[in-house]
Amino acid sequence: MRSNYLIMKLPHSLMKLPPFLSITCLLLLLSTSGLAVTHISGPIGGKTFLADDSPFIIESDITVQKGQTTTIKEGCIFLFKPFAGLIVNGKIEVLGSTEKRCVFTSVNDANFNPSSEQTAAPFDWNGIAIEPTCDRALFRNTNVAYTVYGIKSKLPGVVLYNCIFSQNGQFHFTLSGKTLEVHDNLPYSYNVKQEEDALRWEQERQKAEADALIHAKTIKIVRLSSAIFLATAGVATGTAGGYFASQSSLWNSRYSDTSWAGSDVKKQKEASSLSLSNKNAAIAYLCAAGVSIPTSIILFIIHPEKKVQPKLASINVGGNLALGKVTVRMCLVF
C-alpha cells in the first residue's frame, strides 16, 4: 500500500526524466518503501493503531493509561525490543480478524521482520501485563510470541477470543497469579461468552442505528412530499380564490350598474346572487390557501425532533456491568 501511495505521489519532474533514470528511481523507491516502520514507546492511551502504519517497533514499555482507551485494528504487527512490553491500566481492544490477525512478537521474529540478524527466542520481550485498574481488555484473533510471560492479567474479565500463543518463556497466560493451561500454537479462548455477547450487542446496536436512519429518511421524504403537496395546493387554491374574488367584484359592479340591469329586478337578483356566491367561494379558497402555504413552509423549515426512550442492553464485559445505549431520534409529522 505504501508503494502504491508513493508511486501516485511521484512529482511530475520524475516523470520527465529519461526512461532508464525513471525506472531506476522507481526501483529504489519500491525497495525502500517496504522498510518503513513506526517506532513507538511510552503512553499510547487514546490512540487507534492501523495496519497501514504497521509494523510498529516498540523501543521500550508502552502503556495504556488509566481512564484511556487504545484500539488496535486488524492486521497490526507489534515488534518488541528486549525488556519492552505492553502495560494496560486503562481499556484496550485488539480487533484482529480471521483473515488479518493482530501480532505481538519479538523484533527478531523473521516472519515479520526479515531484516533481523538474530533468531527469535522465548524471553525476547516482557509480554502483556493487564493491571487491576484496567476497565476492559479484549484480544480478538491475536498472536503472542517469544515473551517472558505471555499475557499476565489481574483482570478476571479479560476476554481472549481465538488467540494463539507461541514460544513464550515462563507461561502463555496467567489470571490473577494462576497459570491456565494453554497449548503452543493452538487457538485459545477465555470468557468467550462475554465476547459473543458483546459482538451480538454491537450487531444489534448497528441494526438499530440503521433502522433509525431508514425511518428518519422515510419521515423526511413524507414530510417534504407533504410540504410540496400543500404548497402546490396552496398556490392552486389561492389562484382560485383570486379568480372568484374578481368574479364577485365583477358581478357586484354589474349589480350596482343601472345601465346594465336597468329596472330588471331579475337581473339585479342574479348579479347579487352571483356576487355573493363568488365572494363565499373566494373566502373559502383563500382560507384554504392561508392554511396550506404556511403549513408547507413550516414543514420545509422546521424539523422538530422527539427523543425516543433509549433501549438499554446490559452485558457483563471485563468483569464490569456495561450498559449499551441506543438513541433514536424521530421527526414529527404535521
Side-chain angles (χ1 to χ4, degrees), residues 222-236 292 296 299-300:
V222 171
R223 178 173 56 78
L224 293 178
S225 299
S226 301
I228 293 171
F229 172 77
L230 288 173
T232 305
V235 171
S292 299
S296 66
L299 288 174
F300 267 117

Side-chain angles (χ1 to χ4, degrees), residues 8-60:
M8 287 168 32
K9 292 293 183 180
L10 283 175
H12 292 292
S13 57
L14 179 60
M15 297 300 184
K16 295 179 181 178
L17 290 174
F20 72 94
L21 285 179
S22 298
I23 293 173
T24 303
C25 291
L26 280 173
L27 289 174
L28 287 172
L29 186 62
L30 290 173
S31 64
T32 57
S33 62
L35 299 176
V37 295
T38 305
H39 293 260
I40 58 174
S41 61
I44 59 170
K47 295 183 179 180
T48 297
F49 293 91
L50 304 175
D52 288 348
D53 304 317
S54 192
F56 301 94
I57 302 295
I58 314 303
E59 303 285 348
S60 58

Side-chain angles (χ1 to χ4, degrees), residues 147-217:
T147 72
V148 175
Y149 48 75
I151 295 180
K152 181 170 60 178
S153 177
K154 296 178 182 178
L155 175 70
V158 61
V159 178
L160 307 182
Y161 187 83
N162 193 31
C163 293
I164 295 178
F165 296 85
S166 305
Q167 298 293 311
N168 294 298
Q170 296 177 349
F171 26 71
H172 294 310
F173 176 45
T174 60
L175 186 65
S176 301
K178 180 182 178 181
T179 303
L180 301 186
E181 185 178 357
V182 180
H183 297 285
D184 231 43
N185 297 316
L186 292 179
Y188 179 81
S189 297
Y190 182 81
N191 277 339
V192 68
K193 186 178 185 303
Q194 292 183 10
E195 170 64 359
E196 289 174 345
D197 289 343
L199 289 173
R200 184 169 59 254
W201 179 85
E202 177 64 17
Q203 291 170 353
E204 291 175 356
R205 183 190 66 79
Q206 292 177 358
K207 183 178 183 301
E209 288 184 351
D211 291 344
L213 183 61
I214 293 172
H215 181 78
K217 287 183 178 180

Side-chain angles (χ1 to χ4, degrees), residues 277-303:
S277 61
N278 279 283
K279 180 180 179 180
N280 292 335
I283 292 173
Y285 278 109
L286 290 174
C287 285
V291 173
S292 299
I293 292 176
T295 303
S296 66
I297 293 173
I298 291 173
L299 288 174
F300 267 117
I301 298 175
I302 300 178
H303 306 274

